[in-house]
Coordinates of all heavy atoms in Angstrom, one line a residue:
M1 N 50.7 29.4 -71.0 CA 49.4 29.9 -70.5 C 49.7 31.2 -69.8 O 50.6 31.3 -69.0 CB 48.7 28.9 -69.6 CG 47.3 29.4 -69.2 SD 46.4 28.3 -68.2 CE 46.0 27.0 -69.3
R2 N 48.9 32.3 -70.2 CA 49.1 33.6 -69.5 C 48.7 33.5 -68.0 O 47.8 32.6 -67.6 CB 48.2 34.6 -70.2 CG 48.8 35.0 -71.5 CD 48.1 36.2 -72.2 NE 47.1 36.8 -71.3 CZ 46.1 37.4 -71.8 NH1 45.9 37.4 -73.0 NH2 45.2 38.0 -71.1
T3 N 49.2 34.3 -67.1 CA 48.9 34.2 -65.7 C 47.5 34.5 -65.4 O 46.9 33.8 -64.6 CB 49.9 35.3 -65.1 OG1 51.2 35.0 -65.3 CG2 49.6 35.2 -63.5
G4 N 46.8 35.4 -66.1 CA 45.4 35.8 -65.9 C 44.6 34.5 -66.1 O 43.6 34.2 -65.4
K5 N 44.8 33.8 -67.3 CA 44.0 32.6 -67.6 C 44.3 31.5 -66.5 O 43.4 30.7 -66.2 CB 44.3 32.2 -69.0 CG 43.8 33.0 -70.1 CD 44.0 32.4 -71.5 CE 43.4 33.3 -72.6 NZ 43.7 32.7 -73.8
R6 N 45.5 31.4 -66.1 CA 45.9 30.5 -65.1 C 45.1 30.7 -63.8 O 44.6 29.7 -63.2 CB 47.4 30.4 -64.8 CG 47.9 29.2 -64.0 CD 49.3 29.2 -63.8 NE 50.0 29.1 -65.2 CZ 51.1 29.7 -65.6 NH1 51.8 30.4 -64.7 NH2 51.6 29.5 -66.7
V7 N 45.0 31.9 -63.4 CA 44.3 32.2 -62.1 C 42.8 31.9 -62.2 O 42.2 31.3 -61.3 CB 44.5 33.7 -61.8 CG1 43.5 34.2 -60.6 CG2 46.0 34.0 -61.4
H8 N 42.2 32.3 -63.4 CA 40.8 31.9 -63.6 C 40.6 30.4 -63.6 O 39.6 29.9 -63.1 CB 40.3 32.5 -64.9 CG 40.1 34.0 -64.8 ND1 39.2 34.6 -64.1 CD2 40.9 35.0 -65.5 CE1 39.4 35.9 -64.3 NE2 40.3 36.2 -65.1
L9 N 41.5 29.6 -64.3 CA 41.5 28.2 -64.3 C 41.5 27.7 -62.8 O 40.7 26.9 -62.4 CB 42.5 27.6 -65.2 CG 42.5 26.1 -65.3 CD1 41.2 25.6 -65.8 CD2 43.7 25.6 -66.0
V10 N 42.4 28.2 -62.0 CA 42.6 27.7 -60.6 C 41.3 28.0 -59.8 O 40.8 27.1 -59.1 CB 43.9 28.3 -59.9 CG1 43.9 28.0 -58.6 CG2 45.1 27.7 -60.6
L11 N 40.8 29.2 -60.0 CA 39.6 29.7 -59.2 C 38.4 28.7 -59.6 O 37.6 28.3 -58.8 CB 39.3 31.1 -59.5 CG 40.2 32.1 -58.8 CD1 39.9 33.5 -59.1 CD2 40.3 31.9 -57.3
A12 N 38.3 28.4 -61.0 CA 37.2 27.6 -61.4 C 37.3 26.2 -61.0 O 36.3 25.6 -60.6 CB 37.1 27.6 -63.0
C13 N 38.5 25.7 -60.9 CA 38.7 24.3 -60.3 C 38.4 24.3 -58.9 O 37.8 23.3 -58.4 CB 40.1 23.9 -60.5 SG 40.5 23.5 -62.3
A14 N 38.8 25.3 -58.0 CA 38.5 25.3 -56.7 C 37.0 25.3 -56.4 O 36.5 24.7 -55.5 CB 39.3 26.5 -56.0
A15 N 36.3 26.2 -57.2 CA 34.9 26.3 -57.0 C 34.2 25.0 -57.3 O 33.3 24.6 -56.5 CB 34.4 27.4 -57.9
A16 N 34.6 24.3 -58.4 CA 34.0 23.0 -58.8 C 34.3 22.0 -57.7 O 33.5 21.2 -57.3 CB 34.5 22.6 -60.2
A17 N 35.5 22.0 -57.2 CA 35.8 21.1 -56.1 C 35.0 21.3 -54.9 O 34.6 20.3 -54.2 CB 37.3 21.1 -55.7
A18 N 34.7 22.5 -54.5 CA 33.9 22.8 -53.3 C 32.5 22.4 -53.5 O 31.8 21.8 -52.6 CB 33.9 24.4 -53.1
V19 N 31.9 22.6 -54.7 CA 30.6 22.1 -55.0 C 30.6 20.6 -55.0 O 29.6 20.0 -54.4 CB 30.1 22.6 -56.4 CG1 28.8 21.9 -56.7 CG2 29.9 24.1 -56.3
M20 N 31.5 19.9 -55.6 CA 31.5 18.5 -55.7 C 31.7 17.8 -54.3 O 31.2 16.7 -54.0 CB 32.4 17.9 -56.6 CG 32.1 18.4 -58.1 SD 33.2 17.9 -59.4 CE 34.5 17.1 -58.8
T21 N 32.4 18.4 -53.3 CA 32.7 17.8 -52.0 C 31.7 18.3 -51.0 O 31.7 17.8 -49.9 CB 34.1 18.2 -51.6 OG1 34.3 19.6 -51.5 CG2 35.1 17.6 -52.5
G22 N 30.8 19.1 -51.4 CA 29.8 19.7 -50.4 C 30.4 20.6 -49.4 O 29.8 20.9 -48.4
C23 N 31.5 21.2 -49.8 CA 32.1 22.2 -49.0 C 31.2 23.4 -49.0 O 30.7 23.8 -49.9 CB 33.5 22.5 -49.6 SG 34.4 23.8 -48.6
S24 N 31.2 24.1 -47.8 CA 30.4 25.3 -47.6 C 31.2 26.4 -47.1 O 32.2 26.3 -46.3 CB 29.2 25.0 -46.6 OG 28.5 26.1 -46.4
I25 N 30.9 27.6 -47.5 CA 31.5 28.8 -47.0 C 30.7 29.4 -45.8 O 31.2 30.5 -45.4 CB 31.8 29.9 -48.2 CG1 30.4 30.3 -48.7 CG2 32.7 29.4 -49.1 CD1 30.5 31.6 -49.7
E26 N 29.7 28.8 -45.4 CA 28.9 29.3 -44.3 C 29.7 29.0 -43.0 O 30.4 28.1 -42.9 CB 27.6 28.5 -44.1 CG 26.6 28.7 -45.2 CD 25.4 27.9 -45.1 OE1 25.5 26.7 -44.9 OE2 24.4 28.4 -45.1
E27 N 29.7 30.1 -42.2 CA 30.5 29.9 -40.9 C 29.7 29.0 -39.8 O 28.5 29.3 -39.5 CB 30.6 31.3 -40.2 CG 31.5 31.4 -39.0 CD 31.6 32.8 -38.6 OE1 31.3 33.8 -39.2 OE2 32.2 32.8 -37.3
A28 N 30.4 28.1 -39.5 CA 29.7 27.1 -38.5 C 29.5 27.8 -37.2 O 30.2 28.5 -36.7 CB 30.5 25.8 -38.3
T29 N 28.5 27.3 -36.5 CA 28.1 27.8 -35.2 C 29.3 27.5 -34.3 O 29.7 28.3 -33.4 CB 26.8 27.3 -34.6 OG1 25.8 27.7 -35.6 CG2 26.5 27.9 -33.4
C30 N 29.8 26.2 -34.2 CA 30.8 25.8 -33.4 C 31.9 25.0 -34.2 O 31.6 24.7 -35.3 CB 30.3 24.9 -32.3 SG 29.2 25.7 -31.1
G31 N 33.0 24.8 -33.7 CA 34.0 24.1 -34.3 C 33.9 22.6 -34.2 O 33.0 22.2 -33.5
G32 N 34.7 21.9 -34.9 CA 34.7 20.5 -34.9 C 34.9 20.0 -33.4 O 35.7 20.6 -32.6
G33 N 34.3 19.0 -33.0 CA 34.4 18.5 -31.6 C 33.6 19.3 -30.5 O 33.9 19.1 -29.4
E34 N 32.8 20.2 -31.0 CA 32.1 21.0 -30.1 C 30.6 21.1 -30.5 O 30.2 20.8 -31.6 CB 32.5 22.5 -30.1 CG 33.9 22.8 -29.7 CD 34.3 24.3 -29.8 OE1 33.9 24.9 -30.8 OE2 35.1 24.6 -28.9
Y35 N 29.7 21.4 -29.5 CA 28.3 21.6 -29.8 C 27.8 23.0 -29.2 O 28.4 23.4 -28.2 CB 27.4 20.5 -29.3 CG 27.4 20.2 -27.8 CD1 26.4 20.9 -27.0 CD2 28.4 19.6 -27.1 CE1 26.3 20.8 -25.7 CE2 28.3 19.5 -25.7 CZ 27.3 20.0 -25.0 OH 27.2 19.9 -23.6
P36 N 26.8 23.6 -29.7 CA 26.3 24.8 -29.2 C 25.4 24.7 -28.1 O 24.6 23.7 -28.0 CB 25.6 25.5 -30.5 CG 25.1 24.3 -31.2 CD 26.2 23.2 -31.0
V37 N 25.5 25.7 -27.2 CA 24.5 25.8 -26.0 C 24.0 27.1 -25.9 O 24.7 28.1 -26.4 CB 25.3 25.3 -24.6 CG1 25.6 23.8 -24.6 CG2 26.5 26.2 -24.5
M38 N 22.9 27.4 -25.3 CA 22.3 28.6 -25.1 C 22.2 29.0 -23.7 O 22.0 28.2 -22.7 CB 20.9 28.7 -25.8 CG 20.0 27.8 -25.2 SD 18.3 27.5 -26.1 CE 17.8 29.2 -26.1
S39 N 22.2 30.3 -23.4 CA 22.0 30.7 -22.0 C 20.5 30.6 -21.6 O 19.6 30.9 -22.4 CB 22.5 32.1 -21.8 OG 21.8 33.1 -22.6
V40 N 20.3 30.2 -20.4 CA 18.9 30.1 -19.9 C 18.4 31.4 -19.6 O 19.0 32.2 -18.8 CB 18.9 29.2 -18.6 CG1 17.4 29.2 -18.0 CG2 19.3 27.8 -19.0
G41 N 17.2 31.8 -20.2 CA 16.7 33.1 -19.9 C 17.3 34.3 -20.7 O 16.8 35.4 -20.5
G42 N 18.1 34.0 -21.6 CA 18.8 35.1 -22.4 C 19.1 34.6 -23.8 O 18.8 33.4 -24.2
T43 N 19.7 35.4 -24.7 CA 20.0 35.0 -26.0 C 21.5 34.7 -26.2 O 21.9 34.6 -27.3 CB 19.7 36.2 -26.9 OG1 20.3 37.4 -26.6 CG2 18.1 36.5 -27.0
G44 N 22.3 34.6 -25.2 CA 23.7 34.2 -25.2 C 23.9 32.9 -25.7 O 22.9 32.0 -25.5
S45 N 25.0 32.6 -26.2 CA 25.3 31.2 -26.7 C 26.9 30.9 -26.4 O 27.6 31.9 -26.3 CB 25.0 30.9 -28.1 OG 25.7 31.8 -29.0
A46 N 27.2 29.7 -26.5 CA 28.5 29.3 -26.4 C 28.7 27.9 -27.1 O 27.8 27.3 -27.5 CB 29.0 29.2 -24.9
C47 N 30.0 27.5 -27.1 CA 30.3 26.2 -27.7 C 31.0 25.4 -26.5 O 31.9 25.9 -25.8 CB 31.2 26.4 -28.9 SG 30.4 27.2 -30.3
V48 N 30.6 24.1 -26.5 CA 31.1 23.3 -25.5 C 31.8 22.0 -26.1 O 31.2 21.5 -27.0 CB 30.0 22.9 -24.5 CG1 30.5 21.9 -23.4 CG2 29.3 24.1 -23.8
P49 N 32.9 21.5 -25.6 CA 33.4 20.3 -26.1 C 32.4 19.1 -26.1 O 31.6 19.1 -25.0 CB 34.7 20.1 -25.2 CG 35.0 21.4 -24.7 CD 33.8 22.1 -24.5
N50 N 32.4 18.4 -27.0 CA 31.4 17.2 -27.1 C 31.4 16.3 -25.8 O 30.4 15.8 -25.5 CB 31.7 16.3 -28.3 CG 31.3 16.9 -29.5 OD1 30.5 17.9 -29.6 ND2 31.9 16.5 -30.8
D51 N 32.5 16.2 -25.2 CA 32.6 15.3 -24.0 C 32.3 16.0 -22.7 O 32.5 15.5 -21.6 CB 33.9 14.6 -23.9 CG 35.0 15.6 -23.8 OD1 34.9 16.8 -23.9 OD2 36.2 15.1 -23.4
E52 N 31.8 17.3 -22.7 CA 31.4 18.0 -21.5 C 30.0 18.4 -21.5 O 29.3 18.6 -22.6 CB 32.3 19.3 -21.4 CG 33.7 19.0 -21.2 CD 34.6 20.3 -21.1 OE1 34.0 21.3 -20.9 OE2 35.8 20.2 -21.3
E53 N 29.5 18.6 -20.3 CA 28.1 19.2 -20.1 C 28.0 20.6 -20.2 O 29.1 21.3 -20.0 CB 27.5 18.7 -18.7 CG 27.2 17.2 -18.7 CD 26.2 16.7 -19.7 OE1 25.2 17.4 -19.8 OE2 26.4 15.7 -20.4
P54 N 27.0 21.3 -20.5 CA 26.9 22.7 -20.6 C 27.3 23.3 -19.1 O 26.9 22.8 -18.1 CB 25.4 23.0 -20.9 CG 24.9 21.8 -21.5 CD 25.6 20.6 -20.9
P55 N 27.9 24.4 -19.2 CA 28.3 25.1 -17.9 C 27.0 25.7 -17.3 O 26.0 25.8 -17.9 CB 29.2 26.2 -18.4 CG 28.9 26.5 -19.9 CD 28.4 25.2 -20.4
R56 N 27.1 26.0 -16.0 CA 26.1 26.6 -15.2 C 25.4 27.8 -15.9 O 26.1 28.6 -16.4 CB 26.5 27.0 -13.9 CG 25.3 27.7 -13.1 CD 25.9 27.9 -11.6 NE 25.8 26.5 -11.0 CZ 26.1 26.2 -9.8 NH1 26.5 27.2 -9.1 NH2 26.0 25.1 -9.3
G57 N 24.1 27.8 -16.0 CA 23.5 28.9 -16.7 C 23.2 28.7 -18.1 O 22.6 29.6 -18.8
Y58 N 23.6 27.6 -18.7 CA 23.5 27.2 -20.1 C 22.7 26.0 -20.2 O 22.9 25.1 -19.3 CB 24.9 27.2 -20.9 CG 25.5 28.4 -21.0 CD1 26.2 29.2 -20.1 CD2 25.3 29.1 -22.3 CE1 26.7 30.4 -20.2 CE2 25.9 30.4 -22.6 CZ 26.5 31.1 -21.6 OH 27.1 32.2 -21.8
T59 N 22.2 25.6 -21.4 CA 21.5 24.4 -21.7 C 21.7 24.0 -23.1 O 22.0 24.9 -23.9 CB 20.0 24.5 -21.3 OG1 19.4 23.2 -21.3 CG2 19.2 25.5 -22.1
R60 N 21.4 22.9 -23.3 CA 21.4 22.4 -24.8 C 20.2 23.1 -25.5 O 19.2 23.2 -24.9 CB 21.4 20.9 -25.0 CG 22.6 20.3 -24.4 CD 22.5 18.7 -24.5 NE 23.6 18.0 -23.8 CZ 24.6 17.5 -24.4 NH1 24.7 17.6 -25.7 NH2 25.6 17.0 -23.8
Y61 N 20.3 23.2 -26.9 CA 19.2 23.7 -27.6 C 18.2 22.6 -27.8 O 18.6 21.4 -27.7 CB 19.7 24.0 -29.0 CG 20.4 25.4 -29.1 CD1 21.7 25.5 -29.0 CD2 19.6 26.6 -29.3 CE1 22.4 26.7 -29.0 CE2 20.2 27.8 -29.3 CZ 21.7 27.9 -29.3 OH 22.3 29.1 -29.2
P62 N 16.9 22.8 -27.8 CA 15.9 21.8 -28.0 C 16.1 21.0 -29.2 O 16.6 21.6 -30.2 CB 14.6 22.7 -28.1 CG 14.8 23.9 -27.5 CD 16.3 24.2 -27.7
E63 N 15.9 19.7 -29.1 CA 16.1 18.8 -30.4 C 15.5 19.3 -31.6 O 14.3 19.8 -31.5 CB 15.7 17.4 -30.0 CG 16.1 16.5 -31.1 CD 15.6 14.9 -30.7 OE1 15.5 14.8 -29.4 OE2 15.5 14.2 -31.5
G64 N 16.2 19.3 -32.7 CA 15.6 19.8 -34.0 C 15.6 21.2 -34.1 O 15.1 21.9 -35.2
K65 N 16.1 22.0 -33.1 CA 16.1 23.6 -33.2 C 17.5 24.0 -32.9 O 17.6 25.1 -32.3 CB 15.1 24.1 -32.2 CG 13.7 23.6 -32.5 CD 12.6 24.2 -31.5 CE 11.3 23.7 -32.0 NZ 10.2 24.3 -31.3
V66 N 18.5 23.3 -33.3 CA 19.9 23.6 -33.0 C 20.5 24.5 -34.2 O 20.5 24.1 -35.4 CB 20.7 22.5 -32.8 CG1 22.2 22.7 -32.5 CG2 20.2 21.6 -31.8
P67 N 21.0 25.7 -34.0 CA 21.7 26.4 -35.1 C 22.9 25.7 -35.5 O 23.7 25.3 -34.7 CB 22.0 27.8 -34.5 CG 21.9 27.6 -33.1 CD 21.0 26.4 -32.7
E68 N 23.1 25.6 -36.9 CA 24.4 25.0 -37.3 C 25.3 25.9 -38.0 O 26.5 25.7 -38.0 CB 23.9 23.8 -38.3 CG 23.1 22.7 -37.6 CD 22.8 21.6 -38.6 OE1 23.4 21.5 -39.7 OE2 22.0 20.8 -38.2
H69 N 24.7 26.9 -38.6 CA 25.5 28.0 -39.2 C 25.0 29.3 -38.7 O 23.9 29.5 -38.5 CB 25.4 27.8 -40.7 CG 25.9 26.6 -41.2 ND1 25.2 25.5 -41.5 CD2 27.2 26.2 -41.4 CE1 26.0 24.5 -41.9 NE2 27.2 25.0 -41.9
V70 N 26.0 30.3 -38.7 CA 25.7 31.7 -38.4 C 24.7 32.2 -39.5 O 24.8 32.1 -40.6 CB 27.0 32.6 -38.5 CG1 26.5 34.0 -38.3 CG2 27.9 32.1 -37.3
G71 N 23.5 32.8 -39.1 CA 22.5 33.3 -39.9 C 21.5 32.3 -40.5 O 20.6 32.6 -41.2
D72 N 21.6 31.0 -40.0 CA 20.5 30.0 -40.4 C 19.3 30.2 -39.7 O 19.2 31.1 -38.8 CB 21.1 28.6 -40.3 CG 21.2 28.0 -38.9 OD1 20.7 28.7 -38.0 OD2 21.8 26.8 -38.9
E73 N 18.2 29.5 -40.1 CA 16.9 29.6 -39.5 C 16.9 29.6 -38.1 O 16.4 30.5 -37.4 CB 16.1 28.4 -40.1 CG 14.7 28.4 -39.4 CD 14.0 27.2 -39.7 OE1 14.5 26.2 -40.4 OE2 12.7 27.1 -39.4
W74 N 17.6 28.7 -37.4 CA 17.5 28.6 -35.9 C 18.4 29.7 -35.2 O 18.2 30.2 -34.2 CB 17.9 27.2 -35.5 CG 16.8 26.2 -35.9 CD1 16.9 25.3 -36.8 CD2 15.5 26.3 -35.5 NE1 15.7 24.6 -36.9 CE2 14.8 25.2 -36.2 CE3 14.7 27.1 -34.7 CZ2 13.5 25.0 -36.0 CZ3 13.4 26.7 -34.5 CH2 12.8 25.8 -35.2
D75 N 19.5 30.0 -35.9 CA 20.4 31.1 -35.3 C 19.5 32.4 -35.2 O 19.6 33.1 -34.3 CB 21.5 31.4 -36.3 CG 22.5 32.4 -35.7 OD1 22.9 32.3 -34.5 OD2 22.8 33.4 -36.5
I76 N 18.8 32.7 -36.3 CA 17.9 33.9 -36.3 C 16.8 33.7 -35.3 O 16.5 34.7 -34.5 CB 17.4 34.2 -37.7 CG1 18.6 34.5 -38.6 CG2 16.3 35.3 -37.7 CD1 18.2 34.5 -40.1
Y77 N 16.2 32.6 -35.2 CA 15.1 32.4 -34.3 C 15.5 32.6 -32.8 O 14.8 33.3 -32.0 CB 14.6 30.9 -34.4 CG 13.5 30.6 -33.5 CD1 12.1 30.8 -33.7 CD2 13.7 29.7 -32.4 CE1 11.2 30.5 -32.9 CE2 12.8 29.4 -31.5 CZ 11.5 29.8 -31.7 OH 10.5 29.4 -30.9
W78 N 16.7 32.1 -32.4 CA 17.1 32.2 -31.1 C 17.6 33.6 -30.7 O 18.0 33.8 -29.5 CB 18.2 31.2 -30.7 CG 17.6 29.7 -30.8 CD1 17.9 28.7 -31.8 CD2 16.6 29.2 -29.9 NE1 17.1 27.7 -31.4 CE2 16.3 27.9 -30.2 CE3 15.9 29.6 -28.8 CZ2 15.4 27.1 -29.7 CZ3 14.9 28.9 -28.2 CH2 14.7 27.6 -28.6
Q79 N 17.7 34.5 -31.7 CA 18.0 35.9 -31.3 C 16.8 36.7 -30.6 O 17.0 37.5 -29.9 CB 18.3 36.7 -32.6 CG 19.7 36.2 -33.2 CD 20.0 36.8 -34.5 OE1 19.4 37.8 -34.8 NE2 20.8 36.2 -35.2
T80 N 15.7 36.1 -30.8 CA 14.4 36.5 -30.2 C 13.7 35.6 -29.2 O 12.6 35.9 -28.7 CB 13.4 37.1 -31.2 OG1 13.0 36.0 -32.1 CG2 14.0 38.2 -32.1
H81 N 14.2 34.4 -29.0 CA 13.6 33.5 -28.2 C 14.7 32.9 -27.3 O 15.8 32.9 -27.5 CB 13.0 32.3 -28.9 CG 11.8 32.8 -29.8 ND1 11.9 33.4 -31.1 CD2 10.5 32.6 -29.6 CE1 10.8 33.7 -31.4 NE2 9.8 33.2 -30.6
T82 N 14.2 32.2 -26.2 CA 15.1 31.5 -25.2 C 14.4 30.4 -24.6 O 13.2 30.2 -24.8 CB 15.7 32.6 -24.2 OG1 16.7 31.9 -23.5 CG2 14.6 33.0 -23.3
V83 N 15.0 29.7 -23.7 CA 14.5 28.7 -22.8 C 14.4 29.2 -21.4 O 15.5 29.6 -20.9 CB 15.3 27.3 -23.0 CG1 14.7 26.3 -22.0 CG2 15.2 26.9 -24.5
D84 N 13.3 29.1 -20.8 CA 13.3 29.6 -19.4 C 13.8 28.5 -18.5 O 14.2 27.3 -18.8 CB 11.9 30.1 -18.9 CG 10.9 29.0 -19.0 OD1 11.1 27.7 -19.0 OD2 9.7 29.4 -18.9
E85 N 13.8 28.7 -17.2 CA 14.3 27.8 -16.2 C 13.5 26.5 -16.1 O 14.0 25.4 -15.6 CB 14.5 28.4 -14.8 CG 15.5 29.5 -14.8 CD 15.7 30.1 -13.3 OE1 15.1 29.6 -12.4 OE2 16.4 31.0 -13.2
D86 N 12.3 26.4 -16.7 CA 11.4 25.3 -16.7 C 11.5 24.5 -18.0 O 10.9 23.6 -18.2 CB 10.0 25.6 -16.4 CG 9.8 26.2 -15.0 OD1 10.4 25.7 -14.1 OD2 9.1 27.2 -14.8
G87 N 12.5 25.0 -18.9 CA 12.7 24.4 -20.1 C 11.6 24.8 -21.2 O 11.7 24.2 -22.3
R88 N 10.8 25.7 -21.0 CA 9.9 26.2 -21.9 C 10.5 27.3 -22.9 O 11.2 28.1 -22.4 CB 8.6 26.9 -21.2 CG 7.8 25.9 -20.5 CD 6.6 26.7 -19.9 NE 7.1 27.7 -19.0 CZ 6.8 27.9 -17.7 NH1 5.8 27.2 -17.2 NH2 7.3 28.9 -17.1
I89 N 10.1 27.1 -24.1 CA 10.6 28.2 -25.1 C 9.7 29.5 -25.0 O 8.5 29.4 -24.9 CB 10.5 27.6 -26.5 CG1 11.5 26.4 -26.7 CG2 10.8 28.8 -27.5 CD1 11.3 25.8 -28.1
V90 N 10.4 30.5 -24.8 CA 9.6 31.9 -24.6 C 10.4 32.9 -25.4 O 11.5 32.8 -25.7 CB 9.6 32.4 -23.0 CG1 8.9 31.2 -22.2 CG2 11.1 32.4 -22.5
E91 N 9.6 33.9 -25.8 CA 10.1 35.2 -26.5 C 10.8 35.9 -25.4 O 10.5 36.0 -24.2 CB 9.0 36.0 -27.0 CG 8.4 35.4 -28.3 CD 7.6 36.4 -29.1 OE1 8.1 37.6 -29.4 OE2 6.5 36.0 -29.5
V92 N 11.9 36.6 -25.9 CA 12.8 37.4 -25.1 C 12.1 38.8 -25.1 O 11.8 39.3 -26.3 CB 14.2 37.5 -25.7 CG1 15.1 38.4 -24.9 CG2 14.8 36.1 -25.6
P93 N 11.9 39.5 -24.1 CA 11.3 40.8 -24.1 C 12.3 41.7 -24.8 O 13.6 41.6 -24.9 CB 11.4 41.3 -22.6 CG 11.5 40.0 -21.8 CD 12.2 39.0 -22.7
Q94 N 11.7 42.7 -25.6 CA 12.6 43.6 -26.5 C 13.5 44.4 -25.5 O 13.1 44.7 -24.4 CB 11.7 44.6 -27.2 CG 10.9 44.1 -28.3 CD 10.2 45.1 -29.2 OE1 10.0 46.2 -28.7 NE2 10.0 44.8 -30.4
G95 N 14.7 44.5 -25.9 CA 15.8 45.1 -25.2 C 16.3 44.2 -24.1 O 17.2 44.5 -23.3
G96 N 15.9 42.9 -24.0 CA 16.4 41.9 -23.1 C 17.3 41.1 -23.6 O 18.0 40.4 -23.2

């Protein structure tokens, strides 16, 4: 088999395996063993180990509104919204 055909076959097999196993090329918000948190009153975020509480100034995302991948619906939403000190979801002022 020629090298070019072999490369195409390998790539086709890798793509098929990714589809069949549910593998995604989307970048996860956090790594394994971590969960995302957001800054209170701002648009910052961080990842925290599953067995730890959020650091001071951060909170968990509201249930059902947690970004899972960079650029997903909630990742985009939280670029313009935040949670205030009372836990209410509010829009972030422009430039803030």
Side-chain angles (χ1 to χ4, degrees):
M1 183 180 284
R2 288 189 4 211
T3 302
K5 286 184 178 181
R6 188 174 302 144
V7 169
H8 289 291
L9 179 61
V10 169
L11 291 175
C13 289
V19 169
M20 292 179 359
T21 61
C23 180
S24 173
I25 59 170
E26 294 176 311
E27 184 178 350
T29 302
C30 291
E34 298 178 318
Y35 67 94
V37 294
M38 62 188 303
S39 62
V40 175
T43 58
S45 63
C47 295
V48 176
N50 287 339
D51 60 348
E52 294 182 17
E53 290 297 315
R56 175 173 285 178
Y58 286 82
T59 188
R60 294 175 187 264
Y61 285 91
E63 188 175 335
K65 298 180 180 184
V66 181
E68 295 181 17
H69 296 97
V70 174
D72 72 12
E73 171 189 9
W74 293 115
D75 182 51
I76 293 168
Y77 178 82
W78 292 114
Q79 292 174 21
T80 57
H81 293 78
T82 190
V83 174
D84 67 15
E85 291 184 6
D86 296 320
R88 294 181 301 226
I89 296 174
V90 296
E91 281 193 57
V92 177
Q94 285 189 339

